[in-house]
Amino acid sequence: MIVVSVSLLYLAKEQRASAQGAPLKIGYLMDSLKVERWQTDLDTFQKRAKELGAEVLVETAEGDDDLQLQQAQKLMNSGAKVLVLVPHDTDKAVRIVNAAKARHIPVLSYERLVRNSDVDLFVGTNAELIGELQSSALARLAPKGNYVLIGGSPTDSNARVLRDGQMRALKALVDSGDIKIVNDGWAKDWDPAEAYALMSKAIDETKGDITAVVASNDGTAGGAIQALQEHKLAGKVLVSGQDADLAAIIRILEGTQTMTVYKPIGLQARSAAEAAVNLAAGATIKNAVSIGNGTKTVQAIFQSPILVTKDNVKQTVIKDGFQNLETIQKSLPREKWPN
């Protein structure tokens, strides 16, 4: 697991500046806060940045690419010395990177890598590995049968990389004919309603003959499970997920969702805050690896994703404090409580 080492010299400098009433300003551009995990990212990032003597200026675009570009300009005009960017469209966001570069402001691409751009650093998880975890977890339980694939937003490069990982894990079984992909779709903006519609269509087309659903995150899993419930198939069909949302953890314990992927968001967000401070200072990012974004090899800080099932909820998301045991217990009968 990789952690950024913060320049002590720069931190001392920033602490002096903060004492004089001029803290480092970090611009944080969010795509959306509608999904539970993004508020956790933001809260943790802000807390760590404050500890480092920095002020975080936040804007949320709610899926509007042009608005996100305007917000980037606003943050730079407000004195942001570095931008942390969660792009909506990972191709269109190159405009934000170009605008920042024209003003010599570094850009940290968070969780979603901006494609074909001169971004300075990527902090996130390996989406291809997450996709492999999702498919392999289902394939171990059901190495034969009809599978439905529900991808994330087609404007998010992570969704495509996830699909690559999912298919890599399924390839041998698909090639042998043991697994058949009976429906393959994408949920615009990771919208659960889109996943519900895709799942409903797949159920109708197959007359309910579905073994597993490779849903790319917990929101799309929830939409798919709603459709399965309406056809009395919930709990009979395997369903993957990602993000370890509270609703997903409850579904896993209930038995309607098979697994999710937990990303240590606290560590990731803190690492991003430390890296943002270093980028603003022009300091070297230590222990970074690299990832290609199409036209450039970008420095990267990866966190390791963790497979979560009903058997290890307590040892993963609860142990880390990401989810609360009492909240989970209030939502379930005692016999469904995590062990």
Side-chain angles (χ1 to χ4, degrees), residues 30 58 66 162 196 313 316 323:
M30 303 291 294
V58 183
D66 292 333
L162 273 169
Y196 169 83
V313 167
T316 54
Q323 296 295 352

Side-chain angles (χ1 to χ4, degrees), residues 79-270:
K81 300 303 181 185
V82 58
L83 293 182
V84 177
L85 171 60
V86 182
H88 169 251
D89 186 315
T90 50
D91 290 312
K92 291 181 180 179
V94 70
R95 299 179 299 171
I96 295 173
V97 178
N98 290 342
K101 288 296 177 176
R103 298 173 67 162
H104 306 290
I105 293 174
V107 179
L108 187 161
S109 191
Y110 188 79
E111 188 67 9
R112 299 172 183 169
L113 180 60
V114 182
R115 300 285 301 166
N116 302 309
S117 70
D118 191 24
V119 67
D120 295 273
L121 180 69
F122 172 71
V123 177
T125 46
N126 187 325
E128 190 166 351
L129 176 56
I130 291 171
E132 290 179 7
L133 284 173
Q134 291 170 329
S135 285
S136 60
L138 302 191
R140 280 194 298 271
L141 296 171
K144 294 184 179 181
N146 291 337
Y147 273 54
V148 173
L149 303 182
I150 301 180
S153 176
T155 63
D156 182 351
S157 62
N158 267 6
R160 301 285 179 179
V161 178
L162 273 169
R163 176 59 56 81
D164 290 342
Q166 292 164 354
M167 290 307 301
R168 178 171 287 106
L170 295 177
K171 186 178 186 306
L173 293 170
V174 171
D175 288 348
S176 69
D178 288 333
I179 284 178
K180 181 180 179 182
I181 307 298
V182 294
N183 200 284
D184 180 352
W186 302 86
K188 181 182 177 184
D189 292 335
W190 299 86
D191 188 348
E194 295 256 334
Y196 169 83
L198 289 167
M199 191 73 242
S200 297
K201 180 173 180 287
I203 293 169
D204 289 343
E205 290 176 347
T206 63
K207 295 182 171 54
D209 183 13
I210 295 168
T211 305
V213 181
V214 184
S216 290
N217 77 341
D218 289 336
T220 53
I225 289 168
Q226 182 183 347
L228 290 169
Q229 286 173 328
E230 291 178 2
H231 291 81
K232 299 183 178 179
L233 293 171
K236 300 176 182 178
V237 176
L238 305 178
V239 183
S240 68
Q242 176 192 184
D243 291 334
D245 289 348
L246 175 60
I249 296 300
I250 290 169
R251 289 194 297 265
I252 287 170
L253 294 167
E254 285 176 332
T256 57
Q257 185 169 326
T258 311
M259 59 80 72
T260 187
V261 177
Y262 166 54
K263 296 170 288 188
I265 290 172
L267 179 59
Q268 180 175 306
R270 288 192 295 272

Side-chain angles (χ1 to χ4, degrees), residues 20-37:
Q20 297 168 5
L24 165 70
K25 291 183 178 180
I26 299 173
Y28 201 121
L29 291 158
M30 303 291 294
D31 167 28
S32 173
L33 286 172
K34 290 180 179 177
V35 176
E36 175 187 318
R37 59 98 16 127

Side-chain angles (χ1 to χ4, degrees), residues 273-300:
E274 293 165 4
V277 170
N278 268 326
L279 286 174
T284 301
I285 304 298
K286 297 182 180 179
N287 301 320
V289 294
S290 61
I291 184 174
N293 76 346
T295 57
K296 178 185 175 182
T297 298
V298 180
Q299 284 190 304

